[in-house]
Amino acid sequence: MTQTAERPDTPPSAPARSRLVVVGNGMSGARALEEILARGGGDTFAITVFGEEPYGNYNRILLSEVLANAAGEAVDNEDADDEIYLNPLDWYDENGITLHAGVRIVRIDRPSKVVYGDDGSVTPYDTLVLATGSRSFFPPMEGMWASTTRLTPGVFGFRSLDDATGMLEHVREHRTAVVIGGGLLGLEAAAGLQAHGVAVHVVHPTEVLMNQQLEAEASKVLRSKLQDMGMHMHLGVKTSEILVEDGRVAGVRFTDGSDLACDMVVVTAGIRPNIGLAMVSGLETQRAIVVDDTMRSVDDDDIYVVGECAQHRGEVYGVVGPLWEQAAVLADVVTGTNPDARYHGSRLATKLKVAGVDVAQMGVKIPERSSDEFVQFSETGRGVYQTVVIRDGTLIGATLVGDVSKVAALTQAFDSRSALPEERVKLLFDLGSADDGAAAADLPDDTQICNCNGVSKGDLVGCVEDGAESVSACMAATRAGKGCGSCKGLVKEVVEAALGGAGREDPADSYYVPGIPMDKPTLMREIRSRGLTSVSAVFEALAPEGRDHVGSKMGLTALLRMMWPHEFVDERDGRFINDRVHANIQRDGTFSVVPRMSGGVTSPDQLRRIADVAEKHEIPMVKLTGGQRIDLLGVPKEKLQEVWADLDMPSGWAYGKSFRTVKTCVGTDFCRFGLGDSTQLGIDIEETYKGIEGPAKMKLAVSGCPRNCAESMVKDVGLVAVEGGSWQIYVGGAAGATIRKGDILATVDSHEEALRITGRFLQYYRENANWLERTYDFVPRMGLEYLQAVIVDDSEGIAADLDARMQEAVDAYVDPWASDQTERTPGQFHDALPLVPLPQVPVR
Amino acid sequence: MSSVDVVEGRLGPVDQIPVGEGRAFLVGDEPVAVFRPRSGGLHALRAICPHRGGPLADGLVDGEVVMCPLHNHQFSLVDGSCATGTDDVAAYSAAEEDGELVVRLRHT
Ligand code: SRM
Ligand SMILES: Cc1cc2nc3c(=O)[nH]c(=O)nc-3n(C[C@H](O)[C@H](O)[C@H](O)COP(=O)(O)OP(=O)(O)OC[C@H]3O[C@@H](n4cnc5c(N)ncnc54)[C@H](O)[C@@H]3O)c2cc1C
Ligand code: SF4
Ligand code: FES
């Protein structure tokens, strides 16, 4: 260090920056870096990071989701593996950080201030940050290890991306898994594996699952929920040995001597902080590396410690909330921004991330002093159990099982130690006039909203002030709500309050499309009275300043096509790409082709033609769909017309917000139980209403008896033959992203009547549902009795009009594959990605 | 100052792009999506969505943005900036000169 009293004449060459080295590139190491950069540390430090894992920095929390999600069809446009990387590799470059991924630090030479890597590197530091995290703990047990460093094939820990991908690989060919340890991690692993159709056994040494978080009563409710999901529980049992045959897992043996066959074992029996490096380098370690309130090792002022490898005032944390607080203090001190910053420990909140099993817990699980208040609610029939613990008027603990609708408000009260309602039960229930909306607006700006990603109310409000217009935009920009997801409700409240003013409802919620400030009935009235027949005319007449709006075009196109079956002016730029080329766009820009196969019935001739087309055009995958027909996947856009022509079959409309399929069963023709000709009725319904467009997809089914083989009770419209030649018509059922059993709209006596009521219901739905509102939302919104009155009993005298308008739509139908054999617009079928080799989807 | 090579593509009649839509072209080695919004003007962006490689020329367009058909991220037609949380996309200049569509690979 030179000391200069006077200003030098020439500017000095850039001063040598102090060297900051971070060991461990996990969640807390990277978070500490972000905090340091946010305080201008990029200028003062030359930063080097070592991470043993060969990746950039990822969100470990999402591994549970990665495991579970890679299972079924993606139901949503967001998937987890996309979001798992917190900071991609270029982030390090952009911030001038040198990253050594895949390098493990083996020793610190504290007197010479260098670290040694397992690649032979020697790196000097001025300041060192240890963020080595934890690893899975494998209890000593016969059969666990194949060698001193390698687990027996089929045995897994659950800690890293490699663990998760290893398991995903393994489940493809294995059927039965034993999870050792029924804590949070174990249950998430179990649910993830089950999503892949693996039979899962959870072995836990006490009767209380998740015993770190839950007391016996809560655990019992959780247990029965998991058992209902089909998970097998072995509680109060210990594993003594992993049975190995031919070098791989064949089963487990319990301490009582009994055996359980399995081909996979996941060990989630706890974690152990990675402290070996600190130990060999002479730092004080107990359960973890001991630090003071500035997050510095108690032995060495130049070494800071953060995350799960730090032990502060006797506590070692295993969730990310505390790590964020530690990282902020560390950055304050290291950069000198606030040398007086001190970490005082954290309070814990956790959530189980298992779909359909809601568990949230914070603070203490049971009252600890005689003066503590304890509010307990249990409704075991519904699988709901909730408690709160209050001390001196503040919330010190809460447990929610089965119903976590109050978790946001409770977390808030817990974190901010805010005043509680006089009637304690209001903490768990909305009694009359609870005003949660106002609460979000009243929170102080520094209130932490998302504990997983450390996002405060101020961050979210700032996002809105910077122009974010939606909850999802704020979530994308701040990562709020993208960890365990338990704060999503509160994020929404905060953002909505910031967008629309305190407690006010956003009028935009009622708009049919966001770009035109009108609800659907008003919009339809205006369109009709002004005779607007094209999307551009609607924008011009009704949008603010006549501006068109990208997110509104599709909804308007659908509405106008419904309203003006003949007069509609077809502007192709108002359609989504799927509707421009009558096929479903895929992840690599190719398309899928699904021909109509009414009622799921096909013929040798059709099958032969499909086979010929698949061969001739080298279709990468031919697949039976969940809608009882055949999908040709991976067709380049330029080839679509040719494929349609060669198929010589009509479009199945698998791409549109439209009438899709009618699934059927074999019914009276072949089935020994059949009560009605479900196959024929299904074909008739599909041939009649094929391709009719609407506010969202319409999927139907017809079953020949209440055994319901065509899954009619969970379709938008589902028909079931019952004794006596009648048909029950179910509406509003769903088994997609939402599961809902349909309601019986009517029971009718003939095919003709079944066709008519189906059409009338669909027409009423087309005219009255909001854009993208499926029947599973529409039916409960309108109310079954109301729908029965209007559609079956004609209480409003509109039945004949509905039938007539549906008939008009049916009459106006043309098959798009036939009619678009000549291009409608220049380059309609030109490739939109000229250089990219196709297809990129895996070819089987 | 070193001289900057501006790659220029003369791409033929503007009518190849229907009003309100986009089409993809190759300019040098660069795949470029050119848009022709109803409110007027021509805009060029790199044709590949920075999010997951979606085909931007297939996206819906209004006077200000194009929306990628795969996951609905939106990009400014003018400068390629993204307000929905993924990376920005490169923007180029596009103009009609003597009835011909001309794209220049210089960032605007
Ligand atoms: C091909 C198919 C899967 C298969 O291989 O079997 C399929 C594929 C897709 N489904 Fe599906 N679904 C398929 C049957 C189903 C079914 C089962 C059924 O139809 O009986 C369901 C549950 C029923 C339902 O719709 O509720 C189903 C519920 C969904 C959902 C969730 C809808 C919901 O609101 O619950 C979506 C997402 C959406 O609509 O936003 C979806 C979205 C999708 C999309 C279109 C994703 C998209 O927006 O691009 C997938 C297209 C993949 C592609 O690249 O072509 N798919 N999807 C099935 C086509 C059936 C057909 O012949 O038309
Ligand atoms: C499946 C799963 C689900 C979870 N869910 C949640 C949740 O919902 N909510 C929650 O709050 N928490 C959850 N957690 C816990 C959370 O992920 C951890 O608390 C957090 O990752 C700890 O961060 P860390 O930086 O201390 O350790 P880590 O993220 O483990 O990072 C440590 C890194 O240091 C590296 N390293 C170790 N030693 C060395 C060395 N000598 N040289 C170089 N590199 C080294 C390791 O390879 C690792 O990459 C979950 C954990 C898992 C595994
Ligand atoms: S629904 Fe009834 S008729 Fe149809 S296949 Fe099943 S049992 Fe047979
Ligand atoms: S690829 Fe464009 S939004 Fe995802």
Side-chain angles (χ1 to χ4, degrees):
Chain A
M1 292 274 117
T2 47
Q3 291 173 337
T4 34
E6 27 169 84
R7 257 185 133 123
D9 296 343
T10 49
S13 55
R17 288 180 297 168
S18 161
R19 290 163 301 196
L20 177 78
V21 173
V22 179
V23 181
N25 191 28
M27 298 195 72
S28 59
R31 180 62 169 216
L33 279 178
E34 287 178 9
E35 296 280 3
I36 289 171
L37 292 175
R39 289 164 178 73
D43 300 328
T44 37
F45 293 112
I47 304 176
T48 307
V49 183
F50 290 91
E52 190 178 359
E53 293 183 82
Y55 311 107
N57 161 249
Y58 62 84
N59 191 343
R60 200 171 298 285
I61 293 178
L62 290 186
L63 291 180
S64 306
E65 224 166 292
V66 168
L67 187 63
N69 270 7
E73 173 194 356
V75 280
D76 193 14
N77 286 328
E78 275 181 16
D79 28 306
D81 62 330
D82 182 26
E83 304 203 313
I84 188 160
Y85 287 99
L86 290 169
N87 293 308
L89 293 172
D90 14 329
W91 178 84
Y92 294 88
D93 281 350
E94 279 160 22
N95 288 292
I97 298 172
T98 312
L99 170 66
H100 298 284
V103 178
R104 173 183 163 77
I105 294 301
V106 291
R107 196 163 66 82
I108 310 166
D109 184 343
R110 288 168 48 209
S112 352
K113 298 182 79 167
V114 295
V115 293
Y116 293 92
D118 66 355
D119 59 344
S121 62
V122 182
T123 311
Y125 67 84
D126 296 306
T127 304
L128 185 65
V129 175
L130 297 180
T132 51
S134 312
R135 61 181 186 282
S136 304
F137 169 63
F138 297 96
M141 197 180 292
E142 189 76 17
M144 183 84 81
W145 297 92
S147 72
T148 45
T149 53
R150 215 165 55 87
L151 289 163
T152 300
V155 178
F156 296 88
F158 190 22
R159 177 72 192 178
S160 65
L161 192 52
D162 288 347
D163 291 336
T165 45
M167 281 194 255
L168 286 172
E169 240 343 75
H170 196 78
V171 289
R172 289 210 215 132
E173 273 147 34
H174 296 83
R175 305 311 328 152
T176 308
V178 168
V179 174
I180 300 179
L184 207 59
L185 216 52
L187 296 181
E188 289 182 6
L193 294 173
Q194 214 186 16
H196 292 268
V198 174
V200 179
H201 297 261
V202 176
V203 184
H204 189 65
T206 76
E207 291 290 335
V208 183
L209 285 169
M210 274 178 71
N211 52 319
Q212 285 196 25
Q213 290 84 16
L214 300 184
E215 33 88 18
E217 209 49 43
S219 169
K220 226 186 275 168
V221 178
L222 168 64
R223 169 187 180 172
S224 74
K225 279 191 180 285
L226 293 168
Q227 278 169 336
D228 287 349
M229 281 171 64
M231 227 179 256
H232 306 278
M233 293 294 164
H234 307 261
L235 303 187
V237 181
K238 283 193 184 135
T239 319
S240 63
E241 182 182 345
I242 294 176
L243 306 172
V244 181
E245 267 169 36
D246 302 331
R248 36 188 59 251
V249 169
V252 295
R253 176 159 299 157
F254 298 123
T255 36
D256 66 5
S258 63
D259 290 351
L260 178 64
C262 67
D263 45 25
M264 175 170 194
V265 171
V266 180
V267 184
T268 47
I271 54 174
R272 292 291 180 270
N274 289 320
I275 55 174
L277 172 65
M279 280 167 84
V280 299
S281 309
L283 297 175
E284 167 81 3
T285 56
Q286 293 168 9
R287 280 193 300 143
I289 311 167
V290 182
V291 297
D292 62 19
D293 287 358
T294 62
M295 298 311 296
R296 241 185 283 228
S297 152
V298 289
D299 301 297
D300 192 326
D301 278 355
D302 297 321
I303 300 184
Y304 292 76
V305 187
V306 64
E308 288 187 351
C309 62
Q311 176 175 334
H312 172 264
R313 297 192 189 176
E315 293 291 336
V316 180
Y317 297 97
V319 285
V320 297
L323 316 189
W324 297 161
E325 297 175 29
Q326 297 177 352
V329 170
L330 181 152
D332 276 343
V333 177
V334 166
T335 58
T337 319
N338 176 10
D340 300 328
R342 294 293 178 269
Y343 176 65
H344 300 295
S346 303
R347 306 213 287 171
L348 288 180
T350 46
K351 179 176 183 270
L352 179 68
K353 305 190 295 298
V354 171
V357 184
D358 290 321
V359 178
Q361 202 279 332
M362 61 197 83
V364 303
K365 45 187 179 182
I366 40 170
E368 292 169 344
R369 302 182 191 162
S370 59
S371 58
D372 287 347
E373 290 174 61
F374 188 51
V375 182
Q376 196 174 11
F377 171 80
S378 138
E379 192 184 340
T380 36
R382 203 160 56 91
V384 175
Y385 180 81
Q386 304 174 312
T387 63
V388 292
V389 187
I390 297 165
R391 179 175 301 165
D392 303 332
T394 54
L395 184 68
I396 61 162
T399 302
L400 304 174
V401 182
D403 175 356
V404 294
S405 53
K406 281 300 192 181
V407 71
L410 285 170
T411 312
Q412 223 32 73
F414 177 72
D415 287 345
S416 63
R417 299 168 158 83
S418 58
L420 301 177
E422 280 296 307
E423 272 178 87
R424 303 303 199 207
V425 66
K426 278 191 181 162
L427 283 166
L428 297 176
F429 304 101
D430 294 319
L431 299 175
S433 63
D435 48 355
D436 277 353
D442 292 343
L443 295 172
D445 267 2
D446 60 359
T447 313
Q448 181 128 319
I449 305 291
C450 171
N451 288 319
C452 292
N453 290 320
V455 183
S456 69
K457 180 190 168 195
D459 297 334
L460 288 168
V461 173
C463 220
V464 171
E465 283 163 358
D466 292 345
E469 284 173 0
S470 66
V471 177
S472 51
C474 291
M475 283 173 53
T478 60
R479 300 206 297 252
K482 304 238 165 176
C484 71
S486 64
C487 64
K488 275 185 187 158
L490 193 58
V491 171
K492 185 160 175 281
E493 279 174 31
V494 168
V495 173
E496 281 175 354
L499 279 171
R504 239 188 303 133
E505 192 162 299
D506 189 354
D509 287 350
S510 69
Y511 301 166
Y512 171 72
V513 287
I516 297 184
M518 291 177 191
D519 61 15
K520 184 165 174 175
T522 318
L523 179 61
M524 284 175 67
R525 244 191 340 268
E526 290 295 326
I527 288 174
R528 196 159 282 130
S529 71
R530 296 172 191 234
L532 306 172
T533 52
S534 73
V535 171
S536 62
V538 173
F539 281 127
E540 216 159 282
L542 305 177
E545 293 158 47
R547 251 194 325 234
D548 59 353
H549 177 256
V550 74
S552 303
K553 288 184 153 187
M554 222 182 143
L556 288 177
T557 301
L559 183 68
L560 292 173
R561 284 174 79 84
M562 187 269 291
M563 291 179 66
W564 309 107
H566 299 290
E567 302 85 346
F568 173 65
V569 178
D570 184 8
E571 293 169 343
R572 287 281 163 147
D573 62 306
R575 300 181 175 206
F576 181 55
I577 183 66
N578 284 5
D579 302 308
R580 290 185 196 164
V581 300
H582 320 295
N584 200 316
I585 191 163
Q586 327 248 289
R587 53 192 310 154
D588 63 355
T590 61
F591 291 82
S592 65
V593 171
V594 184
R596 188 168 83 232
M597 224 171 237
S598 294
V601 178
T602 183
S603 65
D605 169 55
Q606 268 187 350
L607 293 173
R608 207 169 282 127
R609 237 175 308 147
I610 291 172
D612 288 343
V613 169
E615 222 162 55
K616 172 174 170 194
H617 296 281
E618 296 172 355
I619 304 284
M621 177 154 87
V622 182
K623 183 181 177 304
L624 302 186
T625 72
Q628 297 191 346
R629 45 210 193 151
I630 295 178
D631 195 350
L632 306 170
L633 295 119
V635 183
K637 210 204 272 168
E638 312 88 275
K639 281 213 176 175
L640 285 171
Q641 287 170 303
E642 228 184 298
V643 168
W644 300 336
D646 290 344
L647 275 175
D648 193 22
M649 288 170 73
S651 167
W653 284 84
Y655 41 80
K657 300 303 172 203
S658 58
F659 186 101
R660 292 281 180 91
T661 53
V662 184
K663 304 214 276 194
T664 70
C665 73
V666 290
T668 40
D669 274 357
F670 292 93
C671 175
R672 67 199 160 111
F673 294 117
L675 300 171
D677 189 351
S678 48
T679 321
Q680 191 57 48
L681 181 55
I683 293 174
D684 291 347
I685 293 177
E686 185 158 351
E687 300 275 306
T688 310
Y689 301 120
K690 59 187 178 281
I692 296 285
E693 288 165 279
K697 299 185 276 198
M698 291 161 264
K699 301 181 177 180
L700 291 77
V702 186
S703 300
C705 85
R707 287 170 192 76
N708 196 24
C709 298
E711 299 166 344
S712 302
M713 291 175 197
V714 290
K715 306 310 282 183
D716 294 294
V717 180
L719 294 95
V720 179
V722 290
E723 203 53 69
S726 342
W727 295 95
Q728 289 176 329
I729 305 181
Y730 288 81
V731 293
T738 295
I739 313 259
R740 181 176 192 274
K741 181 168 185 242
D743 301 311
I744 299 184
L745 177 72
T747 304
V748 300
D749 292 332
S750 67
H751 278 211
E752 293 66 42
E753 192 60 9
L755 259 170
R756 184 163 40 245
I757 295 289
T758 298
R760 195 181 294 161
F761 169 78
L762 290 178
Q763 182 64 17
Y764 189 79
Y765 166 70
R766 297 174 76 210
E767 293 180 11
N768 293 284
N770 292 320
W771 175 235
L772 300 183
E773 181 182 33
R774 288 286 294 266
T775 62
Y776 58 74
D777 284 327
F778 176 73
V779 169
R781 176 164 72 84
M782 303 304 290
L784 180 66
E785 281 172 27
Y786 176 76
L787 288 173
Q788 285 171 329
V790 174
I791 290 164
V792 187
D793 306 331
D794 196 15
S795 61
E796 296 186 359
I798 58 170
D801 291 343
L802 287 169
D803 292 352
R805 287 197 291 270
M806 183 47 117
Q807 190 58 45
E808 209 185 336
V810 166
D811 294 342
Y813 180 78
V814 279
D815 174 35
W817 289 359
S819 66
D820 275 18
Q821 277 299 334
T822 46
E823 277 193 342
R824 294 305 188 94
T825 56
Q828 182 184 354
F829 294 97
H830 283 187
D831 194 350
L833 278 181
L835 261 192
V836 180
L838 298 172
Q840 297 192 319
V841 289
V843 176
R844 280 164 223 270
Chain B
M1 290 277 112
S2 62
S3 74
V4 183
D5 283 337
V6 175
V7 180
E8 181 181 279
R10 306 193 75 84
L11 302 171
V14 170
D15 300 348
Q16 295 169 83
I17 311 172
V19 175
E21 296 190 32
R23 288 290 179 265
F25 302 89
L26 264 187
V27 178
D29 288 340
E30 179 73 347
V32 175
V34 184
F35 302 97
R36 200 177 165 200
R38 279 185 181 266
S39 49
L42 284 165
H43 300 282
L45 303 176
R46 181 174 163 79
I48 300 172
C49 178
H51 177 231
R52 282 256 195 118
L56 290 185
D58 279 344
L60 281 160
V61 172
D62 63 19
E64 281 152 23
V65 297
V66 55
M67 182 161 85
C68 177
L70 293 196
H71 315 100
N72 298 351
H73 278 298
Q74 298 183 10
F75 303 90
S76 159
L77 292 176
V78 177
D79 61 10
S81 61
C82 176
T84 51
T86 195
D87 295 342
D88 298 344
V89 68
Y92 305 117
S93 83
E96 181 170 359
E97 292 174 11
D98 307 325
E100 193 176 16
L101 171 61
V102 181
V103 169
R104 293 192 177 85
L105 295 191
R106 186 180 7 94
H107 299 256
T108 50

